[in-house]
């Protein structure tokens, strides 16, 4: 037999299929070791056949097969070529997406443990061998794991008994269970009429993609769980995707309680071993539901019955590093292959998805009310310009301070949102205007009060805090731009008896970091939670009746066509944390531009108005989806090389423009807004194109200009233009 193999080298020069001879029992999907160019490397068998297209004397045999059960599911063979073509990556890169990284690199294996029981042989023990006698007595109660036995009685009596043949030892595969500490309070609810109607309409729809547009607190989660349960009941499997950060402990508890061991959880907080075991539980069919962030869209499940993407508008679903794939597009490919539904849900669908729905390509399900008709929180706008005029230079408006007082007096909880971590965003010398910057990146440094240091948020570098200006020696150092640490210390001063906790990238470390903070706040062990983006969505804290949004306009001023959309989404999501249970909730939204129309729509929860307006703006200005933004990035450690390459890239695209001028709406070449990141100089050619007709050619230009010292890549509608 002959196997067609893709070698695990992500390079365009070996991006083809190689043939090897193999034993009869090898099946497609197996991971193998093959001889290749004088080395032995890993590869994937994508097909097995009785014939071979190269001269037999040149065919080499496969060296080794890794697992008995092939790691790749058959669907991969259908998907990987489409992914490789669509997202312009080598076939090996596309295949890698379907495997946990740790497994590919051979860093983790199955975990086996030895279990000891008494054998029929009762050895003669000398009087002094007290420990050994204790062990024999102990084992009369039943089996014990080998290492536990050693820990309890010491290694040497255990080995002595083992040598005397007193034990039967059995080696068994163990699953590392990442959530054994989770409780089991199941809370399956009777669906409301609206929820039942939504489930029915989704199941009976003829369209593949379903978009649930439901206000915050409308009970979308229960709809998802119901759809999953129905798929499982039909003997199928399911994928449930959530944005990484809103993979909330509450949601995990709920899923574990509802589906027990049938659910497997894949996310970046797991150890390599845990991820590996959860992955195999899915592959082997023991678990049928994959839950996780974007990479779980590649879960090794066969026979999918439904794919769900919660918070579908979230930018974490688009991979910003290579391979730059769109999770929704991959999910569509899988839904298409399996003939199952893809369900997208959000309180603030992305403009792209909503257009699909409003033009009839997706089935739209709208939920306009919260569960039990609870009112949406009232959003009060606080005009910060007026506050400054009144002489208030703190981060808190009068309205917010009053509401906080009331909330605390009533024994309720509050959430304060600010999308800036650290203490102060910039450190400036008042005498000469010097701003502290990172040497590797062209960005200002953030002051972190807890560690008393300056940090670069792009590369993580740490610097000593300034005592004097390195430029002029001046001693008047000023902190600009309040961050979360500063907000906490200011709140502590304002409300000395309130308990305040913070959640941002600096406080959330390790596997349980996130969980601990949420658990503490949910148990009302703190009164105020201060945090970044992380606290914006997904969480359900019943006693939160006040949400303060400190810098609602910050995202409005990003030079990104989606900044209006982002701001609308953020406000709606954060506001949605308020008043979810008993009492009515309030929201104070602080802004320097209270007349801004995006804020107006958000305050009135007017998604339809926002959408219509946004569509008109984008049509008039020819922005996506009425055009395609294409950015060719040129990065190199050597500034000259980067600039040289940029010129070549620009020249090649100019040539293209001569022939296809009508496709171009806009084009220029320049430094990227952040000129340097992690020591790499960054330049770009930015284009707005009428369609994707020229993309293929642009990708080729990028590939042709990439060299060892200089990386050139293409971004389509990038969500981050820094
Ligand atoms: P969303 O995801 O739409 O923001 P959730 O799914 O978090 O909303 O639901 C909001 C709240 O309503 C949650 O506390 C949830 O437990 C509760 N809930 C959902 N469905 C029901 C139901 N059928 N009966 C009672 N309570 C429900
Ligand atoms: Zn840096």
């Amino acid at each position: 037999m002959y196997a067609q193999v893709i070698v695990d080298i992500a390079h365009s020069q070996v991006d083809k299929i190689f043939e090897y001879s193999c034993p009869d029992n090898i099946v497609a999907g197996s991971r193998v070791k093959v001889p290749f160019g004088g080395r032995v490397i890993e590869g994937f068998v994508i097909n097995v056949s009785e014939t071979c297209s190269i001269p037999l004397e040149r065919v080499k045999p496969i060296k080794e097969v890794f697992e008995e059960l092939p790691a790749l599911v058959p669907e991969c063979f259908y998907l990987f070529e489409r992914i490789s073509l669509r997202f312009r990556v080598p076939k090996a890169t596309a295949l890698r997406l379907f495997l946990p990284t740790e497994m590919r690199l051979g860093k983790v294996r199955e975990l086996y443990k030895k279990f000891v029981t008494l054998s029929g042989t009762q050895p003669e023990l000398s009087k002094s061998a007290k420990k050994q006698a204790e062990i024999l007595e102990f084992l009369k109660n039943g089996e014990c794991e080998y290492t536990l036995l050693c820990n309890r009685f010491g290694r040497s009596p255990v080995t002595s008994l083992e040598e005397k043949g007193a034990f039967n030892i059995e080696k068994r595969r163990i699953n590392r269970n990442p959530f054994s500490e989770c409780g089991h309070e199941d809370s399956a609810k009777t669906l409301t009429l609206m929820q039942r109607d939504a489930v029915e309409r989704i199941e009976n729809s003829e369209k593949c993609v379903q978009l649930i547009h439901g206000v915050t607190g409308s009970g979308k989660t229960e709809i998802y769980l119901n759809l999953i349960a129905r798929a499982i009941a039909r003997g199928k499997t399911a994928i449930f995707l959530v944005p990484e950060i809103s993979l909330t402990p509450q949601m995990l508890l709920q899923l574990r309680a509802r589906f027990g061991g049938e659910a497997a959880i894949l996310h970046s907080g797991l150890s390599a071993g845990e991820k590996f075991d959860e992955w195999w539980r899915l592959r082997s069919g023991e678990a049928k539901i994959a839950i996780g962030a974007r990479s779980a869209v590649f879960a090794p499940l066969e026979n999918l019955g439904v794919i769900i993407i919660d918070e579908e508008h979230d930018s974490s679903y688009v991979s910003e590093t290579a391979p730059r794939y769109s999770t929704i597009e991959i999910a569509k490919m899988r839904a298409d292959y399996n003939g199952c539904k893809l369900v997208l849900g959000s309180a603030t669908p992305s403009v792209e998805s909503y257009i699909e729905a409003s033009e009839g390509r997706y089935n739209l399900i709208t939920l306009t009310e919260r569960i039990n008709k609870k009112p949406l929180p009232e959003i009060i706008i606080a005009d910060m310009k007026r506050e400054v005029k009144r002489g208030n230079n703190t981060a808190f408006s009068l309205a917010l301070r009053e509401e906080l007082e009331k909330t605390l007096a009533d024994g309720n909880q509050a959430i304060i949102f600010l999308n800036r971590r650290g203490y102060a965003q910039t450190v400036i010398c008042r005498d000469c205007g010097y701003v502290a910057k990172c040497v590797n990146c062209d960005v200002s440094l953030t002051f972190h009060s807890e560690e008393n240091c300056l940090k670069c948020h792009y590369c993580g570098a740490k610097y000593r805090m300034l005592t004097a200006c390195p430029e002029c020696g001046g001693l008047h150092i000023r902190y600009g731009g309040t961050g979360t640490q500063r907000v906490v210390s200011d709140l502590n001063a304002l409300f000395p008896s309130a308990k305040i906790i913070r959640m941002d990238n600096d406080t959330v470390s390790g596997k349980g970091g996130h969980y601990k903070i949420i658990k503490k706040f949910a148990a009302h062990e703190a009164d105020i939670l201060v945090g970044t983006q992380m606290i914006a969505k997904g969480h359900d804290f019943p006693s939160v009746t006040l949400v303060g949004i400190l810098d609602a306009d910050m995202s409005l001023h990003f030079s990104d066509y989606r900044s209006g959309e982002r701001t609308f989404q953020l406000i709606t999501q954060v506001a949605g944390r308020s008043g979810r249970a008993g009492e009515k909730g309030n929201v104070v939204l602080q802004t320097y531009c209270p007349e801004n129309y995006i804020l107006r729509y958000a305050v009135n929860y007017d998604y339809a108005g926002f959408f219509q307006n946004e569509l008109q703006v984008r049509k008039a200005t020819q922005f996506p989806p009425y055009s395609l933004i294409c950015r060719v990035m040129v990065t190199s450690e050597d500034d000259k090389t980067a600039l040289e390459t940029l010129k070549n890239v620009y020249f090649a695209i100019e040539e293209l423009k001569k022939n296809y001028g009508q496709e171009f709406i806009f084009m220029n070449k320049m430094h990227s807004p952040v000129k340097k990141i992690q020591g790499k100089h960054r330049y770009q050619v930015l284009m707005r194109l009428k369609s994707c007709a020229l993309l293929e050619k642009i990708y080729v230009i990028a590939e042709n200009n990439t060299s060892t010292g200089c990386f050139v890549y293409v971004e389509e509608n990038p969500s981050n233009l820094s």
Side-chain angles (χ1 to χ4, degrees):
M1 296 294 273
Y2 301 95
Q4 298 180 340
V5 173
I6 289 181
V7 294
D8 194 7
I9 301 175
H11 200 288
S12 51
Q13 271 158 22
V14 294
D15 194 21
K16 48 185 168 232
I17 294 164
F18 297 91
E19 289 173 291
Y20 292 89
S21 62
C22 67
D24 286 355
N25 59 356
I26 285 195
V27 285
S30 302
R31 293 193 313 134
V32 292
K33 274 191 180 168
V34 290
F36 190 82
R39 291 186 296 155
V40 174
I41 57 169
E42 291 184 20
F44 311 97
V45 177
I46 58 154
N47 200 5
V48 181
S49 72
E50 296 195 353
T51 54
C52 176
S53 64
I54 51 173
L56 291 185
E57 64 277 11
R58 281 179 47 210
V59 179
K60 290 180 196 150
I62 277 176
K63 286 254 188 240
E64 188 188 329
V65 183
F66 280 95
E67 297 95 3
E68 231 170 88
L69 179 67
L72 298 170
V73 297
E75 192 181 339
C76 296
F77 311 128
Y78 163 82
L79 286 178
F80 84 93
E81 291 214 87
R82 293 183 62 177
I83 292 171
S84 147
L85 282 174
R86 170 64 188 88
F87 301 106
R88 305 286 312 193
V89 291
K91 294 185 185 68
T93 309
L95 280 170
R96 280 177 190 175
L97 291 167
F98 291 92
L99 297 170
T101 347
E102 296 79 8
M103 169 175 171
R104 258 188 52 241
L105 304 175
K107 284 195 183 138
V108 283
R109 295 261 156 172
E110 299 88 345
L111 176 68
Y112 286 96
K113 283 190 177 163
K114 292 195 283 186
F115 292 86
V116 182
T117 46
L118 288 176
S119 71
T121 330
Q122 283 293 322
E124 291 279 325
L125 297 180
S126 70
K127 274 238 166 77
S128 61
K130 275 208 187 105
K131 279 270 177 215
Q132 296 185 33
E134 275 177 45
I135 294 174
L136 293 178
E137 199 50 41
F138 178 77
L139 283 174
K140 281 185 186 153
N141 299 322
E143 76 168 15
C144 179
E145 202 234 306
Y146 192 90
T147 44
L148 287 182
L149 207 59
C150 293
N151 290 346
R152 185 163 176 158
F153 298 99
R155 184 166 289 274
S156 82
V158 174
T159 27
S160 305
L161 282 172
E162 194 179 345
E163 281 159 11
K164 287 175 193 147
F167 296 161
N168 282 330
I169 294 184
E170 192 193 347
K171 212 170 146 190
R172 280 207 302 267
R173 171 90 196 271
I174 299 297
N175 274 323
R176 283 154 280 206
N177 182 353
F179 299 98
S180 47
E181 79 271 23
C182 285
H184 288 281
E185 31 168 309
D186 189 11
S187 49
K189 299 178 181 69
T190 318
L191 295 190
T192 62
L193 268 179
M194 257 188 1
Q195 286 169 324
R196 210 163 17 165
D197 179 55
V199 170
E200 295 293 331
R201 278 169 56 202
I202 290 169
E203 296 244 297
N204 297 330
S205 167
E206 284 179 356
K207 289 172 187 152
C208 169
V209 187
Q210 312 288 313
L211 177 63
I212 307 181
H213 172 212
V215 297
T216 56
S218 57
K220 294 186 287 296
T221 314
E222 206 58 39
I223 297 177
Y224 303 146
L225 298 187
N226 211 272
L227 288 167
I228 294 173
R230 286 177 177 224
I232 302 300
R234 289 197 303 267
K236 308 230 166 197
T237 62
I239 294 179
F240 184 15
L241 303 179
V242 291
E244 180 74 274
I245 46 171
S246 81
L247 192 61
T248 61
Q250 288 137 307
M251 179 86 94
L252 289 188
L253 284 176
Q254 219 173 337
L255 288 160
R256 275 281 146 163
R258 189 79 51 96
F259 300 110
E262 295 217 301
I265 291 152
L266 306 165
H267 77 103
S268 60
L270 302 187
S271 74
E274 288 169 342
K275 226 187 282 178
F276 181 79
D277 287 351
E278 286 292 272
W279 189 90
W280 267 110
R281 290 206 308 119
L282 289 165
R283 177 65 191 101
S284 66
E286 182 191 322
K288 297 186 170 61
I289 308 163
I291 299 148
R294 84 174 164 234
S295 63
V297 77
F298 299 103
L301 286 166
E302 295 182 74
N303 199 12
L304 282 169
V306 69
I307 304 175
I308 290 162
I309 304 187
D310 188 23
E311 314 280 9
E312 65 89 29
H313 64 277
D314 197 273
S315 57
S316 72
Y317 287 123
V318 179
S319 166
E320 279 189 18
T321 50
R324 271 163 251 280
Y325 64 85
S326 141
T327 308
I328 294 185
E329 276 189 56
I330 307 257
K332 270 188 212 162
M333 292 179 193
R334 294 200 75 171
D336 193 34
Y337 178 89
N338 287 280
C340 73
K341 299 265 154 56
L342 167 61
V343 181
L344 309 175
S346 174
T348 52
S350 71
V351 168
E352 282 90 342
S353 293
Y354 205 78
I355 288 180
E356 294 294 314
S358 61
E359 293 181 355
R361 286 180 296 279
Y362 294 177
N363 185 29
L364 179 66
I365 285 128
T366 311
L367 308 171
T368 51
E369 280 174 2
R370 280 187 158 183
I371 289 285
N372 298 332
K373 298 201 169 28
K374 261 172 226 124
L376 285 161
E378 184 184 344
I379 306 183
I380 308 157
I381 288 192
D383 180 352
M384 294 310 278
K385 277 186 302 200
R386 203 181 306 158
E387 297 282 328
V388 173
K389 266 191 215 138
R390 278 195 202 140
N392 175 7
N393 285 315
T394 70
F396 312 101
S397 60
L398 188 63
L400 181 55
R401 259 188 311 199
E402 283 175 359
E403 288 294 332
L404 267 170
E405 254 162 52
K406 237 190 281 168
T407 305
L408 295 173
D410 292 345
N412 288 323
Q413 289 176 295
I415 290 179
I416 303 290
F417 171 82
L418 172 71
N419 220 356
R420 229 188 257 150
R421 58 197 180 91
Y423 186 86
Q425 197 188 21
T426 47
V427 180
I428 309 160
C429 167
R430 270 195 184 166
D431 298 331
C432 73
Y434 163 87
V435 176
K437 282 193 169 182
C438 176
V439 294
N440 307 316
C441 313
D442 172 49
V443 293
S444 60
L445 296 172
T446 302
F447 173 50
H448 284 246
S449 57
E450 280 166 3
E451 294 147 280
N452 192 34
C453 73
L454 301 176
K455 274 194 207 170
C456 169
H457 286 183
Y458 276 79
C459 72
K462 282 187 196 175
Y463 299 81
R464 224 176 310 151
M465 184 48 201
L466 303 179
T467 43
C469 172
E471 296 273 304
C472 73
L475 297 173
H476 302 101
I477 305 291
R478 191 171 71 91
Y479 304 123
T482 302
T484 45
Q485 288 183 353
R486 168 111 191 229
V487 168
V488 171
S489 77
D490 288 0
L491 281 174
N492 272 324
L494 280 173
F495 304 102
S497 61
K499 280 211 194 70
I500 303 167
I501 45 175
R502 200 180 91 223
M503 185 157 114
D504 54 34
N505 259 330
D506 300 308
T507 58
V508 181
S509 58
K511 189 172 127 197
H514 197 171
Y515 182 59
K516 271 180 224 140
I517 296 174
I518 295 289
K519 209 165 118 184
K520 219 164 138 184
F521 193 62
H524 210 141
E525 282 169 43
D527 307 299
I528 306 177
L529 173 65
V530 175
T532 54
Q533 194 95 16
M534 249 172 223
I535 59 172
K537 54 206 145 195
H539 306 292
D540 195 17
F541 302 113
S543 327
V544 170
T545 54
L546 174 66
V547 165
I549 306 175
L550 294 194
D551 55 351
D553 8 359
M554 204 164 83
S555 59
L556 271 183
H557 306 306
F558 289 152
S559 56
D560 171 2
Y561 73 97
R562 268 184 286 222
S563 63
E565 185 180 352
R566 290 273 157 69
T567 306
F568 183 87
Q569 287 166 346
L570 197 61
I571 294 172
T572 313
Q573 297 287 345
V574 188
R577 299 313 108 213
S578 183
R580 290 171 73 90
E583 290 168 56
K584 180 170 163 290
N586 280 321
V587 178
V588 177
L589 186 147
Q590 302 190 164
T591 173
Y592 285 92
C593 33
E595 60 295 326
N596 183 285
Y597 70 93
I598 294 284
L599 302 190
R600 291 282 151 200
Y601 286 126
V603 165
N604 295 316
Y605 298 101
D606 184 5
Y607 181 86
F610 152 78
F611 175 76
Q612 287 308 333
N613 188 82
E614 189 67 21
L615 221 51
Q616 269 167 17
V617 170
R618 297 214 195 160
K619 205 174 217 166
T621 52
Q622 286 192 292
F623 269 92
Y626 299 101
S627 69
L628 174 81
I629 293 182
C630 177
R631 177 162 84 153
V632 184
M633 286 294 299
V634 179
T635 66
S636 171
E637 280 176 15
D638 181 49
D639 198 22
K640 255 209 203 117
T641 313
L643 203 54
E644 234 8 80
T645 311
L646 175 76
K647 279 184 195 144
N648 294 338
V649 169
Y650 187 73
F651 181 74
I653 298 176
E654 281 272 83
E655 284 298 303
L656 208 57
K657 200 175 163 190
K658 277 183 196 152
N659 294 324
Y660 303 95
Q662 76 288 354
E663 274 290 318
F664 286 77
I665 302 167
F666 167 91
M667 159 163 153
N668 81 352
K669 67 171 193 301
M670 57 185 169
H671 248 128
S672 300
V674 180
K675 297 186 190 109
K676 201 165 89 173
I677 293 182
Q678 300 190 354
K680 293 219 170 72
H681 298 270
R682 309 168 82 238
Y683 293 90
Q684 66 188 35
V685 179
L686 190 63
M687 287 161 273
R688 236 178 321 132
L689 305 168
K690 287 243 171 77
S691 72
C692 52
L694 294 179
L695 263 182
E696 186 70 28
K697 294 190 167 67
I698 294 170
Y699 273 105
V700 173
I701 293 174
E703 276 155 29
N704 290 344
N705 281 284
T706 290
S707 58
T708 2
C710 189
F711 189 46
V712 185
Y713 59 92
V714 180
E715 294 173 334
E716 298 169 35
N717 288 341
S719 52
N720 179 355
L721 273 175
S722 59

